[in-house]
Coordinates of all heavy atoms in Angstrom, one line a residue:
V162 N 42.8 36.8 -28.3 CA 42.8 35.7 -29.3 C 41.3 35.2 -29.3 O 40.9 34.6 -28.3 CB 43.8 34.6 -29.1 CG1 43.7 33.5 -30.1 CG2 45.2 35.2 -29.0
G163 N 40.7 35.3 -30.4 CA 39.2 34.8 -30.5 C 38.3 35.9 -30.9 O 38.6 37.1 -30.5
Q164 N 37.3 35.6 -31.5 CA 36.3 36.7 -32.0 C 34.9 36.3 -31.7 O 34.0 36.6 -32.6 CB 36.6 36.9 -33.5 CG 37.8 37.7 -33.8 CD 38.0 38.0 -35.3 OE1 37.5 37.4 -36.1 NE2 38.7 39.1 -35.5
G165 N 34.6 35.8 -30.5 CA 33.2 35.6 -30.1 C 32.8 36.8 -29.3 O 33.6 37.8 -29.1
N166 N 31.6 36.7 -28.8 CA 31.1 37.8 -27.9 C 31.8 38.0 -26.7 O 31.9 39.1 -26.1 CB 29.6 37.7 -27.6 CG 28.7 38.0 -28.9 OD1 29.2 38.8 -29.7 ND2 27.5 37.5 -28.9
V167 N 32.4 36.9 -26.1 CA 33.2 37.0 -24.9 C 34.4 37.9 -25.1 O 34.8 38.7 -24.3 CB 33.5 35.6 -24.4 CG1 34.4 35.7 -23.1 CG2 32.2 34.8 -24.0
A168 N 35.0 37.7 -26.3 CA 36.2 38.4 -26.7 C 35.8 40.0 -26.7 O 36.6 40.8 -26.3 CB 36.7 38.0 -28.1
L169 N 34.7 40.2 -27.3 CA 34.3 41.7 -27.4 C 33.9 42.2 -26.0 O 34.2 43.4 -25.8 CB 33.1 41.8 -28.4 CG 33.3 41.5 -29.8 CD1 32.2 42.1 -30.7 CD2 34.7 41.9 -30.4
D170 N 33.3 41.3 -25.1 CA 33.1 41.8 -23.7 C 34.4 42.2 -23.1 O 34.5 43.3 -22.4 CB 32.5 40.7 -22.9 CG 31.0 40.4 -23.1 OD1 30.4 41.2 -23.8 OD2 30.5 39.4 -22.6
C171 N 35.4 41.4 -23.3 CA 36.8 41.7 -22.7 C 37.3 43.0 -23.2 O 37.8 43.8 -22.5 CB 37.8 40.5 -23.0 SG 37.3 39.0 -22.1
A172 N 37.2 43.2 -24.6 CA 37.8 44.3 -25.2 C 37.0 45.6 -24.6 O 37.7 46.6 -24.4 CB 37.6 44.3 -26.7
R173 N 35.7 45.5 -24.5 CA 35.0 46.6 -24.0 C 35.4 47.0 -22.6 O 35.5 48.1 -22.3 CB 33.4 46.2 -24.1 CG 32.5 47.4 -24.2 CD 31.1 47.0 -24.6 NE 30.5 46.2 -23.5 CZ 30.3 44.9 -23.6 NH1 30.6 44.2 -24.7 NH2 29.7 44.2 -22.6
M174 N 35.5 46.0 -21.8 CA 35.9 46.2 -20.4 C 37.3 46.9 -20.3 O 37.5 47.8 -19.5 CB 36.0 44.9 -19.6 CG 34.6 44.3 -19.3 SD 33.6 45.3 -18.4 CE 32.2 45.4 -19.5
L175 N 38.2 46.5 -21.2 CA 39.5 47.0 -21.2 C 39.5 48.5 -21.7 O 40.4 49.3 -21.3 CB 40.5 46.2 -22.0 CG 40.8 44.8 -21.4 CD1 41.5 43.9 -22.5 CD2 41.8 45.0 -20.2
L176 N 38.7 48.8 -22.6 CA 38.8 50.1 -23.3 C 37.7 51.1 -22.8 O 37.9 52.3 -23.0 CB 38.5 49.9 -24.9 CG 39.6 49.2 -25.6 CD1 39.1 48.7 -26.9 CD2 40.8 50.0 -25.8
A177 N 36.7 50.7 -22.2 CA 35.6 51.6 -21.8 C 36.2 52.6 -20.7 O 37.0 52.3 -19.9 CB 34.4 50.9 -21.2
D178 N 35.6 53.7 -20.8 CA 35.9 54.8 -19.8 C 35.4 54.2 -18.5 O 34.3 53.8 -18.4 CB 35.2 56.1 -20.2 CG 35.7 57.2 -19.4 OD1 35.7 57.2 -18.1 OD2 36.2 58.2 -20.0
P179 N 36.2 54.3 -17.4 CA 35.8 53.8 -16.1 C 34.5 54.4 -15.6 O 33.7 53.8 -14.9 CB 37.0 54.0 -15.2 CG 38.2 54.1 -16.0 CD 37.7 54.7 -17.4
S180 N 34.3 55.7 -16.1 CA 33.0 56.3 -15.6 C 31.8 55.6 -16.2 O 30.7 55.6 -15.6 CB 33.0 57.8 -16.0 OG 33.0 57.9 -17.4
Y181 N 32.0 54.9 -17.4 CA 30.9 54.2 -18.0 C 30.6 52.9 -17.1 O 29.5 52.5 -16.9 CB 31.3 53.8 -19.4 CG 30.5 52.7 -20.1 CD1 29.2 52.9 -20.6 CD2 31.0 51.4 -20.1 CE1 28.6 51.9 -21.3 CE2 30.4 50.4 -20.8 CZ 29.1 50.6 -21.3 OH 28.4 49.6 -21.9
L182 N 31.7 52.3 -16.6 CA 31.5 51.1 -15.8 C 31.2 51.4 -14.3 O 30.7 50.5 -13.7 CB 32.9 50.3 -15.9 CG 33.3 49.8 -17.2 CD1 34.7 49.2 -17.2 CD2 32.3 48.8 -17.8
R183 N 31.4 52.6 -13.9 CA 31.2 53.0 -12.5 C 29.8 52.6 -12.0 O 29.7 52.2 -10.9 CB 31.4 54.5 -12.5 CG 31.1 55.2 -11.3 CD 32.2 55.5 -10.4 NE 32.2 54.5 -9.3 CZ 33.2 54.1 -8.5 NH1 34.4 54.5 -8.8 NH2 33.0 53.2 -7.6
K184 N 28.8 52.7 -12.8 CA 27.5 52.5 -12.3 C 27.0 51.0 -12.5 O 25.8 50.7 -12.3 CB 26.5 53.4 -13.1 CG 26.7 54.8 -12.7 CD 25.5 55.7 -13.1 CE 25.4 56.9 -12.3 NZ 26.5 57.8 -12.2
T185 N 27.9 50.1 -12.9 CA 27.6 48.8 -13.0 C 28.0 48.0 -11.8 O 28.6 48.5 -10.9 CB 28.3 48.1 -14.2 OG1 29.7 47.9 -13.9 CG2 28.2 49.0 -15.5
D186 N 27.8 46.6 -11.8 CA 28.2 45.9 -10.6 C 29.6 45.3 -10.8 O 30.0 44.3 -10.1 CB 27.2 44.8 -10.2 CG 27.1 43.7 -11.1 OD1 27.7 43.7 -12.2 OD2 26.3 42.7 -10.9
I187 N 30.4 45.9 -11.7 CA 31.8 45.4 -11.8 C 32.5 45.7 -10.4 O 32.1 46.6 -9.7 CB 32.5 46.2 -12.9 CG1 34.0 45.7 -13.1 CG2 32.7 47.8 -12.5 CD1 34.7 46.3 -14.3
T188 N 33.4 44.8 -10.0 CA 34.0 45.0 -8.6 C 34.8 46.3 -8.6 O 35.4 46.7 -9.6 CB 34.8 43.8 -8.2 OG1 36.0 43.8 -9.1 CG2 34.1 42.5 -8.3
E189 N 34.8 46.8 -7.4 CA 35.7 48.1 -7.2 C 37.2 47.8 -7.5 O 37.8 48.6 -8.1 CB 35.5 48.5 -5.7 CG 34.3 49.3 -5.4 CD 34.2 50.6 -6.3 OE1 35.0 51.5 -6.1 OE2 33.3 50.5 -7.2
T190 N 37.6 46.6 -7.1 CA 39.0 46.2 -7.4 C 39.3 46.3 -8.9 O 40.3 46.9 -9.3 CB 39.3 44.8 -6.9 OG1 38.9 44.7 -5.6 CG2 40.8 44.4 -7.0
A191 N 38.4 45.6 -9.7 CA 38.6 45.6 -11.2 C 38.5 47.1 -11.7 O 39.3 47.4 -12.6 CB 37.5 44.7 -11.8
L192 N 37.6 47.8 -11.2 CA 37.4 49.2 -11.7 C 38.7 50.0 -11.4 O 39.1 50.7 -12.3 CB 36.2 49.8 -10.9 CG 35.6 51.0 -11.5 CD1 35.1 50.8 -12.9 CD2 34.5 51.6 -10.7
Q193 N 39.3 49.9 -10.3 CA 40.5 50.6 -9.9 C 41.6 50.2 -10.9 O 42.4 51.0 -11.4 CB 40.9 50.4 -8.5 CG 40.1 51.3 -7.5 CD 40.2 50.8 -6.1 OE1 41.1 50.1 -5.7 NE2 39.2 51.2 -5.3
H194 N 41.8 48.9 -11.1 CA 42.9 48.4 -11.9 C 42.7 48.9 -13.3 O 43.6 49.3 -14.0 CB 43.0 46.9 -11.8 CG 43.8 46.4 -10.7 ND1 43.1 46.3 -9.4 CD2 45.1 46.0 -10.5 CE1 44.1 45.8 -8.6 NE2 45.2 45.6 -9.2
L195 N 41.4 48.8 -13.8 CA 41.2 49.3 -15.2 C 41.4 50.8 -15.3 O 41.9 51.3 -16.3 CB 39.8 48.9 -15.6 CG 39.5 47.4 -15.8 CD1 38.0 47.1 -15.9 CD2 40.3 46.9 -17.0
H196 N 41.0 51.5 -14.3 CA 41.2 53.0 -14.2 C 42.7 53.3 -14.4 O 43.0 54.3 -15.1 CB 40.6 53.5 -12.9 CG 40.5 55.0 -13.0 ND1 39.8 55.7 -13.9 CD2 41.0 56.0 -12.1 CE1 39.8 57.0 -13.6 NE2 40.6 57.2 -12.6
S197 N 43.5 52.6 -13.7 CA 45.0 52.9 -13.6 C 45.7 52.2 -14.8 O 47.0 52.2 -14.8 CB 45.6 52.7 -12.3 OG 45.4 51.3 -12.0
S198 N 45.0 51.4 -15.6 CA 45.7 50.6 -16.6 C 46.4 51.6 -17.7 O 45.9 52.6 -17.9 CB 44.8 49.7 -17.3 OG 44.2 50.2 -18.5
G199 N 47.4 51.0 -18.4 CA 48.0 51.9 -19.4 C 47.6 51.5 -20.8 O 48.2 51.8 -21.8
I200 N 46.5 50.7 -20.9 CA 46.2 50.1 -22.1 C 45.7 51.2 -23.2 O 44.9 52.0 -22.9 CB 45.0 49.1 -21.9 CG1 45.6 47.9 -21.1 CG2 44.4 48.6 -23.3 CD1 44.5 47.0 -20.5
Q201 N 46.3 51.1 -24.4 CA 46.0 52.0 -25.4 C 45.4 51.3 -26.6 O 44.7 51.9 -27.4 CB 47.3 52.7 -25.9 CG 47.9 53.7 -24.9 CD 46.9 54.8 -24.7 OE1 46.4 55.3 -25.7 NE2 46.6 55.2 -23.4
R202 N 45.8 50.0 -26.8 CA 45.4 49.4 -28.1 C 45.0 47.9 -27.7 O 45.8 47.2 -27.1 CB 46.4 49.4 -29.1 CG 46.1 48.8 -30.5 CD 47.2 49.0 -31.5 NE 47.3 50.4 -31.9 CZ 46.7 51.0 -32.9 NH1 45.8 50.4 -33.5 NH2 46.9 52.3 -33.1
V203 N 43.8 47.5 -28.1 CA 43.4 46.2 -28.0 C 43.1 45.6 -29.4 O 42.4 46.2 -30.2 CB 42.1 46.1 -27.2 CG1 41.6 44.6 -27.1 CG2 42.3 46.6 -25.7
S204 N 43.8 44.5 -29.7 CA 43.6 43.8 -31.0 C 42.8 42.6 -30.8 O 43.2 41.7 -30.0 CB 44.9 43.4 -31.7 OG 45.7 44.6 -31.9
V205 N 41.7 42.5 -31.4 CA 40.8 41.3 -31.3 C 41.0 40.5 -32.5 O 40.6 40.9 -33.7 CB 39.3 41.7 -31.2 CG1 38.4 40.5 -30.9 CG2 39.1 42.7 -30.0
V206 N 41.6 39.3 -32.4 CA 42.2 38.6 -33.6 C 41.5 37.3 -33.8 O 41.3 36.5 -32.9 CB 43.7 38.3 -33.2 CG1 44.3 37.6 -34.5 CG2 44.4 39.6 -32.9
G207 N 41.1 37.0 -35.1 CA 40.5 35.8 -35.4 C 41.2 35.1 -36.6 O 41.8 35.8 -37.4
R208 N 41.2 33.8 -36.7 CA 42.0 33.1 -37.7 C 41.2 33.1 -39.0 O 41.8 32.9 -40.1 CB 42.5 31.7 -37.3 CG 41.4 30.7 -37.2 CD 41.9 29.5 -36.3 NE 40.7 29.0 -35.7 CZ 40.0 28.0 -36.1 NH1 40.3 27.4 -37.2 NH2 38.9 27.6 -35.4

Side-chain angles (χ1 to χ4, degrees):
V162 178
Q164 286 187 330
N166 281 336
V167 175
L169 296 200
D170 281 353
C171 293
R173 207 171 61 254
M174 291 301 123
L175 289 167
L176 290 166
D178 191 304
S180 64
Y181 164 80
L182 297 173
R183 168 95 262 157
K184 291 198 156 52
T185 72
D186 70 354
I187 189 170
T188 65
E189 279 302 291
T190 309
L192 198 59
Q193 278 164 22
H194 278 81
L195 290 169
H196 191 58
S197 59
S198 92
I200 293 162
Q201 287 299 313
R202 183 173 291 273
V203 175
S204 303
V205 183
V206 181
R208 72 197 146 95

